[in-house]
Amino acid sequence: MDSVISFPFCLISCLSVVDIEMEESRGLVKHILIAKFKDEIPPQKIEELIHGYASLVPLIQPMKSFHWGNDVSIENLQEGFTHVFESTFESLEGVAEYVAHPSHVEFANAFLPSLEKVIVIDYKPTTVNLS
């Protein structure tokens, strides 16, 4: 879905009208997992789990990429979450295939017990073009 929105946008005391075009991805889906590991999980174990997560990419065909990182926010709004994991899929059906895949199920059974809390969100990215 394409849409164009115009609104006043102020930068350093300058007021201008910015046109924004937004287009939702036609197939691409991002799978985001935000986690806090339990305090008793040693760093070496966390590293092993992250490597295990990354190793799913060549095993599960619809999983196209994997990125992760530690929280570095200065806003103090992370509510204790420490890690973010992002996987990219070709479609929602690809996410469903990933979730049901035996390699993912085996990994999840090892990964999830190490977490104190977790949030998972799947979304279709929207590209924003400013003009």
Side-chain angles (χ1 to χ4, degrees):
M1 169 182 10
D2 292 345
S3 60
V4 177
I5 302 169
S6 294
F7 64 92
F9 187 70
C10 186
L11 265 180
I12 312 173
S13 304
C14 296
L15 188 63
S16 62
V17 175
V18 176
D19 289 329
I20 298 176
E21 294 181 31
M22 292 190 254
E23 183 177 355
E24 184 180 85
S25 154
R26 293 210 170 15
L28 192 69
V29 176
K30 297 287 189 172
H31 176 80
I32 308 297
L33 185 147
I34 303 171
K36 178 186 186 321
F37 286 92
K38 293 177 180 173
D39 290 338
E40 63 268 18
I41 306 299
Q44 182 180 5
K45 176 66 174 176
I46 293 171
E47 187 174 322
E48 289 171 12
L49 290 167
I50 292 169
H51 283 274
Y53 204 153
S55 74
L56 295 176
V57 176
L59 300 175
I60 304 175
Q61 189 277 327
M63 189 177 186
K64 298 304 177 190
S65 67
F66 171 78
H67 300 90
W68 76 276
N70 292 310
D71 172 60
V72 295
S73 177
I74 60 170
E75 296 176 292
N76 200 29
L77 298 173
Q78 62 273 42
E79 297 188 25
F81 289 97
T82 57
H83 292 74
V84 63
F85 304 92
E86 176 190 79
S87 304
T88 302
F89 296 87
E90 294 177 334
S91 65
L92 285 171
E93 294 79 13
V95 176
E97 185 178 331
Y98 159 81
V99 168
H101 194 283
S103 295
H104 172 261
V105 172
E106 180 181 351
F107 172 74
N109 287 336
F111 184 76
L112 293 175
S114 297
L115 303 180
E116 182 176 314
K117 57 185 182 174
V118 64
I119 295 173
V120 176
I121 297 173
D122 298 326
Y123 74 97
K124 298 179 96 179
T126 298
T127 301
V128 176
N129 297 306
L130 303 176
S131 57

